[in-house]
Amino acid sequence: MPKPTGGGSDRSGFQLSASTPPAKGGIDSFTWALYAEPPTLDYIQAFDYPQNTILANVCESLMRWTPQLTLAPGLAEKASNPDPTTWVYDLRSGVHFHDGTVMTADDVVYSLGRQTNPDNAAAWAQVFQNVESVNKTGPLQVTVKLKQPDSQFPQYMATAAGVVAAKAGVEAAGKDYGTTGSLDCTGPFKLGTWAKGQSIELQRFDDYWGTKAKSRKAVFSFLTDPSARTNAMLTGDVDGGYLIPTESYVDALQVGLPADQCRAAHRVLLLSSGQDTVPLNDGGGGEDGRTWGACSALIGAWQVRASLRSACSLPALGHAGTSRGSAGGAGRGYTPVMLKVDRAARILAHIAEAGSADVHALSELLGVSGATVRRDLQELHDQGLLHRTRGGAVTGAVNLELPLRHRSEKQQEEKRRIARAAAELVPEGAVVGLTGGTTTTELARVLGERGGITVVTNAVNIAAELIVRPEIRLVVIGGIARSASYELIGPAAERMLQHYHFDLAFIGVDGLTAHEGCTTHDEMEAQTDRAFLRSSARSVVLADSTKIGRVTFASICPLADVHDLVTDDGLTDAQEKAIADCGVRVRRV
């Protein structure tokens, strides 16, 4: 703990102690922040931190990992290896499940069997690929036969792969196991209330066979936004959390903090760097600051220090390091941290193209830790943008549609050139229709600088861009909100469009071919786009070259209904000829 050392400024008047005071006794409860809500608490699907953080307190495995990373007995009081392909687990007697029943060898055989059943699609199934059989060889003994020697299998029995739950309880819950009711495990806490979207409360299990829990209950709060987790810890709403990204400190500190919180944050920052929690000492007030600089080199804390100075009006800290490289030399070689939205766009684009990706490959691609990648994948999974797998993720569709916020950085320079060329087609005083999309959004920005026209749009993001431009007359079409494209679509939008007439309508598309015409991902959006075309004297499609030659789900119109295509110079000569043969004027920029 920080302790006063005499005179001097706030930042030099404290030092770190070697330890914390011993605990004085039990507590009523504690609250822990999780970055995502577990989709299930079924142990066979426990492959990520949110599930495992909770289940580590509720369900137990045959073996345990010690703090020194060595194997120790768990529910099995003894594990023996009589020959290279045999493991014998002798179970503890008198172990109670949360439903009050006593653990037997039958429960162990059943629990491990759930991992091997292909119908369950267990996240840990590959651990059992080398397992020939799991059999009860005594009332409290289970024997596992391997196909060949496997040094990893006994270690996995200390993970969720080796969890034991009550056979009767799991079978009674059926398909609802892990999402409602009890988990019927053996741990020091049992599942209490699960407030979907908010929190999970665990209650102390008083019939636990081992050392009783020191807290009467434990609450796991779901805070998906990193800044919210940081603020919750600073205000005391939660007692702790894991994998708090450094950029969240920047966001929280930029808004300003009370003086006591500033001093505490300035003296000691405990920043998660993937797997390490590193204490950062100030290094000011006559100290050389080498520890701070070295830690800065490891975790890129330059932004955090700058924000602390700004939020708390503190003096500059010496010996600033670099985010990737030598710790010496202030400000030398600093590489900015990639923002979360940029990482998400890169992840989605990569998986959409490759079909899948593992955590290691994405870590190399993005230049961030594996823990950061796992957190990003879980959030994208929760948004329905990909499917999380053990060790990575896969796309859930052949043509994955990225939400607009994740598409805005793709082909950005090409889209800006297209927008500038399209703006040249708009005469003074024209009435222009704009559908949603990243390229039409760029066009709206160009037109907004010019003024003197009327814009009719169904895209709320475009409306937000133009509503602050008094020289633009803006008409917004209403309808059903589509979050992926920020558009208002559907019958109401189509009826409104019947009452307007445009000089030009600029249409964004997701695919365009000479044979299939213009296509998009959503059928209702396609119908609204057709209504724009019917109301316009001239229709112009804006599409970067990556959309050409691509066909997506819903047809907007044949190319016979398109007057112009503005695209970039990535369009091939063959593609241009095929499109021009359909009567479309093609402009490459």
Side-chain angles (χ1 to χ4, degrees):
M1 293 179 63
K3 295 187 295 185
T5 58
S9 65
D10 285 341
R11 69 184 178 96
S12 62
F14 293 84
Q15 65 182 17
L16 294 178
S17 62
S19 62
T20 57
K24 296 180 179 180
I27 58 175
D28 181 67
S29 68
F30 68 89
T31 303
W32 194 262
L34 293 179
Y35 63 78
E37 179 175 11
T40 177
L41 289 177
D42 188 341
Y43 63 90
I44 68 172
Q45 301 297 340
F47 62 85
D48 205 358
Y49 291 119
Q51 298 102 305
N52 282 321
T53 301
I54 296 172
L55 286 174
N57 295 279
V58 178
C59 294
E60 293 181 297
S61 303
L62 290 172
M63 304 297 290
R64 285 177 172 175
W65 284 109
T66 71
Q68 292 74 36
L69 296 181
T70 59
L71 279 178
L75 293 177
E77 62 181 0
K78 179 184 177 184
S80 55
N81 186 209
D83 63 66
T85 59
T86 303
W87 281 93
V88 179
Y89 294 95
D90 292 297
L91 309 177
R92 296 183 186 275
S93 62
V95 174
H96 286 85
F97 291 112
H98 296 153
D99 64 358
T101 60
V102 177
M103 180 184 70
T104 68
D106 292 320
D107 296 303
V108 177
V109 172
Y110 174 78
S111 297
L112 299 186
R114 292 188 70 228
Q115 303 274 16
T116 64
N117 187 343
D119 293 338
N120 292 335
W124 299 89
Q126 67 181 38
V127 172
F128 296 85
Q129 290 178 350
N130 191 36
V131 174
E132 185 175 278
S133 64
V134 180
N135 293 308
K136 172 183 176 180
T137 50
L140 289 174
Q141 187 181 81
V142 172
T143 299
V144 179
K145 288 285 188 180
L146 304 177
K147 298 173 185 177
Q148 59 186 16
D150 187 344
S151 63
Q152 300 300 307
F153 178 80
Q155 299 182 42
Y156 274 112
M157 290 301 96
T159 69
V163 162
V164 179
K167 177 181 178 181
V170 177
E171 288 182 334
K175 62 181 178 61
D176 293 327
Y177 180 74
T179 56
T180 59
S182 174
L183 297 178
D184 290 325
C185 287
T186 63
F189 287 93
K190 60 184 178 180
L191 185 62
T193 57
W194 186 342
K196 299 292 184 178
Q198 299 179 39
S199 63
I200 288 177
E201 180 182 300
L202 306 182
Q203 299 171 352
R204 181 167 55 204
F205 180 45
D206 290 329
D207 287 334
Y208 180 55
W209 62 270
T211 304
K212 301 296 187 294
K214 300 297 184 184
S215 180
R216 186 177 63 84
K217 66 179 181 179
V219 179
F220 294 88
S221 182
F222 313 138
L223 299 174
T224 58
D225 182 68
S227 296
R229 295 199 298 279
T230 297
N231 287 331
M233 283 191 284
L234 288 171
T235 59
D237 290 338
V238 301
D239 299 299
Y242 183 52
L243 295 177
I244 310 296
T246 56
E247 59 263 32
S248 71
Y249 285 85
V250 177
D251 296 337
L253 294 170
Q254 281 175 342
V255 301
L257 297 173
D260 58 337
Q261 292 182 14
C262 279
R263 286 194 295 271
H266 184 58
R267 289 193 302 266
V268 180
L269 289 177
L270 295 179
L271 302 181
S272 173
S273 176
Q275 298 175 346
D276 301 317
T277 301
V278 185
L280 301 184
N281 199 0
D282 181 335
E287 300 178 20
D288 63 13
R290 285 176 293 180
T291 301
W292 178 283
C295 289
S296 301
L298 291 173
I299 65 172
W302 182 88
Q303 289 185 336
V304 179
R305 295 201 312 277
S307 296
L308 279 167
R309 293 198 301 272
S310 175
C312 305
S313 300
L314 297 171
L317 304 177
H319 298 269
T322 65
S323 63
R324 303 186 192 281
S326 166
R332 185 180 64 196
Y334 169 68
T335 303
V337 177
M338 184 182 290
L339 296 177
K340 181 194 291 187
V341 67
D342 298 327
R343 292 198 309 268
R346 291 283 296 277
I347 289 171
L348 290 171
H350 180 80
I351 293 178
E353 180 177 351
S356 65
D358 59 48
V359 170
H360 177 73
L362 291 173
S363 177
E364 291 291 321
L365 175 69
L366 302 173
V368 297
S369 70
T372 297
V373 171
R374 292 186 192 95
R375 184 171 60 251
D376 289 343
L377 291 178
Q378 185 63 48
E379 292 186 6
L380 293 171
H381 171 89
D382 292 342
Q383 296 173 42
L385 298 176
L386 50 75
H387 292 307
R388 187 81 163 85
T389 62
R390 186 167 181 266
V394 298
T395 179
V398 175
N399 280 319
L400 175 69
E401 181 185 15
L402 307 185
L404 192 72
R405 64 186 182 277
H406 295 314
R407 283 184 273 145
S408 59
E409 297 301 319
K410 298 182 66 177
Q411 307 292 114
Q412 190 175 65
E413 182 52 41
E414 289 83 354
K415 291 172 182 177
R416 287 171 178 164
R417 294 204 307 269
I418 292 169
R420 289 192 292 268
E424 295 175 0
L425 302 177
V426 180
E428 185 73 20
V431 177
V432 177
L434 288 180
T435 68
T438 53
T439 311
T440 51
T441 299
E442 290 294 340
L443 173 59
R445 290 167 180 160
V446 176
L447 295 176
E449 295 174 357
R450 217 178 71 179
I453 61 173
T454 297
V455 173
V456 181
T457 185
N458 67 327
V460 293
N461 66 306
I462 290 177
E465 293 270 356
L466 297 180
I467 197 169
V468 295
R469 303 282 187 175
E471 63 274 19
I472 296 285
R473 185 186 182 198
L474 177 65
V475 178
V476 182
I477 301 298
I480 300 170
R482 184 166 185 262
S483 59
S485 61
Y486 296 163
E487 289 178 286
L488 304 174
I489 60 176
E494 295 161 33
R495 285 195 297 271
M496 289 184 67
L497 286 167
Q498 293 174 3
H499 300 287
Y500 297 105
H501 302 281
F502 314 135
D503 297 302
L504 300 98
F506 291 94
I507 308 296
V509 302
D510 295 305
L512 186 152
T513 68
H515 186 263
E516 299 293 339
C518 301
T519 57
T520 188
H521 287 283
D522 184 83
E523 183 178 12
M524 191 179 295
E525 180 183 326
Q527 293 173 354
T528 303
D529 289 346
R530 285 196 291 272
F532 269 95
L533 295 175
R534 288 193 296 268
S535 296
S536 180
R538 182 179 179 184
S539 58
V540 183
V541 171
L542 306 183
D544 66 75
S545 58
T546 64
K547 309 289 181 60
I548 312 302
R550 186 181 182 205
V551 178
T552 54
F553 173 68
S555 175
I556 298 173
C557 66
L559 289 190
D561 294 343
V562 177
H563 296 93
D564 301 87
L565 167 66
V566 185
T567 186
D568 59 77
D569 54 11
L571 183 74
T572 67
D573 292 338
Q575 289 172 327
E576 180 177 7
K577 183 179 185 305
I579 295 169
D581 287 345
C582 296
V584 179
R585 292 183 292 268
V586 180
R587 182 173 184 185
R588 288 195 281 187
V589 295

